[in-house]
Structure formats: C-alpha cells, structure tokens
Amino acid sequence: MTQILKSIEVKYFAILREQANLSEERVEVAADCRTYGELYALLKEKHSFTLPLKMIQVAVDDRFASLDHEIRESARVVFIPPVAGG
Amino acid sequence: MFRIQSAEISRDELIRVLQNPRAGALVVFEGWVRDHNEGKAVSSLEYQVYEALAKTEGEKILEEACRNFNLHQALCVHRQGHLRLGETAVWIGVVASHRDDAYQASRYVIDQIKLRLPIWKKEHYLNHDAVWVQCQDHATHVHFEEADYYAKQAKIVQQELLTRAKVLVVGAGGLGCPVLTSLAAAGVGKISFVDFDSVSISNIHRQPLYSPESVGEKKVVIAQNRLLALNPFITLQGHDARVTHANVDTFILGRDLVIDCTDNLETKFLLHDACFKLGVPLISASIHQFEGQVRTFIPSRENGCLRCLFPETPDDALIGNCNDFGVLGASVGAIGQLQAHEALLFLLQGTNSTAEATFYLNLKDLSQMKIANFRREGCACCEEQGGMRAVQAGGVNCGEDESLEIDLAQLGGLDHQLVDIREINDTDLEIFLHSCHESESAATAAAQKKIVLYCHRGIRSRHWVKEQRALGHSQVYSLRGGACSL
C-alpha cells in the first residue's frame, strides 16, 4: 500500500473543468508523485484530459509556478490551459 | 488599474478616470464580441477567469506598459461570464504625453493580455458545438525567473553591472539590430534607442528584428516589441526621431555609454562631438562591404578622438553606405556583434581593447589590424574635454562656468535643498524646478533657498544648471564632483 503524504486542492478552468466535470477537487498525493507535472499526468489519466502536459501551465497558491517544482502540502493548485483573453 | 467584472463596461466612466492635464494622448482599445470566427457564425461568447491570478498578472502588465512607454496612467477592464454579440469584452485606455508612446503601449497591453492572463473564451456557434478557443500560438508561454534567464552568463559576468547600466543606441538598422538584440538579451537594464526610419523590404536581409509584414512600419515600434518579447526583464525606450544638433544632448545625458550604429558620417561626428562635450563614452562601428571597424572613445582618457584624425567632418558623398554599395547581412551582423561585445566588456570592466586601438577586420580574408589611437596636439575637441575634466576635479577656474557649481563646504550655513537627479527624467525635473521657482518667486535673491542638483559625476546636473541660469534662475547650483563628492 502506498503511503499518503500530501493533501492538496486542485481547481479547473475552461476545457479542463468540462472534461473533469468538476470545478475543484481535493487530491491525496502519494509519495511516488513528486512534481506538479507528474500530478497532471495522473489527473489527465483520471479525467481523460485531452491537453498534453506541454500545453499546460501551473499556478500554486495564485502564483505561477514551474511544473518541475515539488508538490507542497496543502497547496492550492490550478492547471492552466492555453489562455485566450481579449 | 486592472479589473475583472461581470457587468457591462461603461467607457465614459473609464475615460473620466484617465483625465490628466499633463497627458497629450489617450489611446483606447475595445475588444468586441464579433459574429464570426474562422468561417463559423458565432452567436455568443463565454469568458471564464481565474480571478486571483488574472488580477495580479494584469496589474503587472499595466505596470510594465507604464514603465516602458512613459505612460501617465493605464487602465484595463476585462469581462467575465456570458457576452452577447457586439458587447465589449475588454477595454484598455492608456494616456501619455505623446501619441507614439500611447499607441505602442495600447498594443503591448492587449498582446500581453492575450498571452499571459488566465482567461478562457468559449465560442458558441449557430450551427456547430461550442468550443473553448485554444490558441496554439499562445500555448508555449511560460513564466520564468529573471535569474534563470542569465544563468549561463552569471558564471562569467557580474550581472548587476549590466542590469544597472543605462545605454543609448543610435540607429536600429544593420548594426543596431545585432547590437540591440545582444544588449537586450544580456540584460542591459535600461536601453534607449533612436531611429527615424521605417522598415523597407530591402532592409530585412541584414536587419533581422524586422520581417516582411513590418514593411512600412516605424522601426522603433517593431524593434521595441521584438526586444521586449526577447527579454521582458529590461526597460526599453524607442524614440522615433532623427538625432540633430538640437536634441543630441538630451539623448546622451544620463547614459553610461552611447553606441553609434548609424550609417552616415554627419551623425557619427555629431554623436562623437556631443559625447566628448558631455564626457560620455562612445563605441562607434562602421562597415564598407567586407571591411569593418570598431573603436571605443572614453573622453576622460587622453588618447585622442575622431577630431584628432578629421578636424573637419568628411563629406558623406565621398564614402557611400550599405544602401549604395551593398553588403551581406552576415558581414554587418559580425561587426555589429563585435560592437555589442565591446559594449558589454566596457560595461563590465570599465574599459576594453578598442579603447586603446581601433580594430579593423576584413571579413573576406579575415585579416585584421589594430591601429593604436593617437592624440593630435591642439585638437579642440580633446582640449574642451580636458577643461571639463579639470572642472570635475575642481582644479581649474573656468570663468563664468565656475559659478554654476558649489561645494558641500560652501553650503554650510546656507538654506539649501540637495536634489539627486540620477533617477529623475528630464520632464519630471523640469516640472520640479518650475514648482521650486513658483514657490520662491516672492523672496529676494539673497533669501532664496538654493537648489543644489547632483548626478553621478556632476555633468548632467551642470548642464541643467546652465540652462536654468540662462532662464534667469540664479539660485540653482550643481554639486561639484556630483554624488562622488558626497
């Protein structure tokens, strides 16, 4: 059994919100999932997201972060699909 | 101010907020919901916004625009929720003293919004399923740390020296493109550049900041956008102007280095003479077909100037330029890169090898020469600079000029205000001085508070005091020796 290490909150916008059919969820992150990039890969499989990782940015606690950063306990994570403001 | 709102945008109210007696131009951009996209009939639009991040990022974009385009104010409102055809989805208003700045800033703000803000748009069509607009062009934009940008040069240079440097580049053509690109990419913190030209199709082979779609547009506008996209961590200011006797000093004052990327002797000599007069180092380059040369002039050193070689400005008609004789883009690019390299070394070390000898490179056979600089006895240009040096050192009585300056010791018992003008631009300084004169106009000359300006070495402040004296303001002084004497 994998030990649960971190509990985080994930928010979705636009196409990710529709494909997950959720605007947010709480996710328990296992020890073998280290970075936000790896987390996206897991969620992509879970919700059948169509966007590849390279088209995604991540914000942690309302600031842009790197997908290579290590996941922090209690982080508020937003995966950001390509934007189209204006 | 940046705002996200669900309610309709009221343009009159926004324009009232932007009213400013100092502004000479307001440019407004409105993005509307249109009835078609890529051949499909659109019935409405839906915007979803990640509000917390959009607000901080939106404020950042407006701050960047204010800083880079001399704005008095910038305002942007973006809608969220469901919008009908014809409604305004985004409203941008920018005010500046001059229209060029306002036009450029408006364009910058909308481009950055589309690139950076976490705002998504769903298009609803008449005859197709609704889709979230995924713009491929924007997919690769990522947010980076400034330190990471310079990581590979940080091992060999002290980045801080480049970051705080203020450089003027004259000419954004064949030499200017590589110089501007390399200086911007290296993180030279404040770059201003001047060019009066528009892009023509025959420029592009040697001026790779431009592309065929920019033909007819002002070079400074295209270059500024390209360079800011290349390095968003620096401050850039393009001036659409011709350098003349009347304005050359205002471009040079306050700069650590001037880089001459012009293609004509008249401007080269004009820049050279002004740099010697004001004591600002200059790096000049030129190219004729396959032969290029680079030289650095440091006026405070006594190793000669261009006037030592050519007391009279040679006639441009005698030599021709790239347009007349032709040149390979790679040739002018190579000389431009050498010039940029010498500029970076100068900023990092305070000197470089072309300050000692002019470097000549023949790109056809790669032969090279270094010809030691020499100083001609009796050269008026060098002599004037010599006088300037003596004044800075406080050692020579220069007649009327002496009274422009004052020492800390002399200020002892006098009512005075010391003003550091290093970070104050010319416009703001003028406004400040005007307000000083207004408030003191009732006092007698003897009772007036002395305004003592100082900059790094006391050169720019002296220039200002001279102008103020000419206007009859006798209570303005320059601090002898500048900040170095404090």
Side-chain angles (χ1 to χ4, degrees), chain B residues 19 351 472:
Chain B
Q19 294 286 356
T351 189

Side-chain angles (χ1 to χ4, degrees), chain A residues 12-15 17-18 51 54-55 57 59 61-65 76 78-86, chain B residues 47-50 52-53 57 78 90 110 114-122 132-134 136 138-139 141 143:
Chain A
Y12 299 111
F13 285 93
I15 193 166
R17 182 180 290 187
E18 285 184 3
L51 286 173
K54 68 174 192 290
M55 291 181 72
Q57 294 174 53
D61 296 342
D62 299 334
R63 298 169 72 98
F64 282 107
R76 281 177 297 119
V78 181
F79 289 108
I80 300 182
V83 299
Chain B
Y47 283 97
Q48 228 173 61
V49 180
Y50 173 9
L53 187 58
E57 201 64 14
H78 203 296
V90 58
I110 186 64
K114 294 199 82 102
L115 205 59
R116 285 159 59 179
L117 289 200
I119 294 178
W120 299 274
K121 179 161 78 174
K122 189 175 193 176
W132 288 101
V133 177
Q134 308 289 349
Q136 294 292 334
H138 302 160
H141 192 77
H143 293 258

Side-chain angles (χ1 to χ4, degrees), chain B residues 251-265:
Chain B
F251 285 123
I252 294 173
L253 280 168
R255 300 284 136 186
D256 302 312
L257 176 67
V258 173
I259 307 182
D260 161 24
C261 299
T262 65
D263 63 353
N264 68 86
L265 291 174

Side-chain angles (χ1 to χ4, degrees), chain A residues 7-62:
Chain A
S7 172
I8 60 164
E9 186 188 308
V10 184
K11 268 189 174 176
Y12 299 111
F13 285 93
I15 193 166
L16 297 182
R17 182 180 290 187
E18 285 184 3
Q19 290 176 346
N21 203 19
L22 290 166
S23 56
E24 54 182 284
E25 65 179 323
R26 186 153 278 285
V27 179
E28 310 298 328
V29 183
D32 59 354
C33 176
R34 220 175 46 79
T35 66
Y36 296 107
E38 289 167 15
L39 173 63
Y40 181 76
L42 288 179
L43 294 169
K44 180 174 185 285
E45 201 170 306
K46 175 176 167 190
H47 296 300
S48 307
F49 290 146
T50 50
L51 286 173
L53 182 64
K54 68 174 192 290
M55 291 181 72
I56 293 290
Q57 294 174 53
V58 67
V60 178
D61 296 342
D62 299 334

